[in-house]
Amino acid sequence: MSLRVAAVTFDCENALTVARFWSAALGRPVDEADPPGASEFFARIPGGDGDPMMMFIKVPEGKTVKNRVHLDLDADDRVAEVERLLGLGATHIHDRDEWGVQWTTLADPEGNEFCVAEHT
């Protein structure tokens, strides 16, 4: 098979704001080598160590419905990571305990949902 995930792309109103949130959340730096002025329309977090690049692209329309695709993140300490992400600007949506897994659904500063789970 020759396919692999090259990037996860977020449509957003403010590319740099959303990129900085995810940079802080994942401990991966925003690429500062992009051309001057590009951050108004585009930002990225380079991939590496098996992680795909993350791209953030300004679009004219705002988010209106639930994501059809979202990130599922695994944490050693879900409760601590959720608190940290809330401090970075995430919004709590709900907590779930189903199928032997506990997870929390959050939204980034522009409302893109993602889940944080602790798989034991």
Side-chain angles (χ1 to χ4, degrees):
M1 179 192 272
S2 63
L3 293 176
R4 66 183 183 286
V5 176
V8 175
T9 303
F10 289 75
D11 289 350
C12 44
E13 182 179 331
N14 188 312
L16 194 53
T17 296
V18 179
R20 285 180 176 155
F21 169 83
W22 284 104
S23 172
L26 299 173
R28 294 171 54 191
V30 175
D31 187 352
E32 300 295 337
D34 287 327
S39 64
E40 181 179 342
F41 304 101
F42 173 82
R44 67 180 163 192
I45 296 172
D49 295 328
D51 291 328
M53 175 180 14
M54 298 179 77
M55 297 193 309
F56 307 88
I57 300 172
K58 181 179 177 143
V59 297
E61 67 279 352
K63 183 179 180 301
T64 59
V65 298
K66 182 181 181 292
N67 296 14
R68 295 293 303 260
V69 175
H70 66 269
L71 297 178
D72 282 330
L73 306 174
D74 191 31
D76 293 331
D77 183 341
R78 179 181 57 87
V79 173
E81 285 298 328
V82 166
E83 287 301 315
R84 185 178 73 82
L85 293 164
L86 291 171
L88 293 174
T91 303
H92 181 267
I93 297 177
H94 57 71
D95 295 297
R96 293 285 192 261
D97 185 349
E98 298 175 331
W99 309 296
V101 178
Q102 293 180 331
W103 73 91
T104 300
T105 302
L106 302 171
D108 72 16
E110 289 201 8
N112 299 299
E113 296 95 357
F114 63 99
C115 295
V116 179
E118 185 173 346
H119 296 89
T120 55

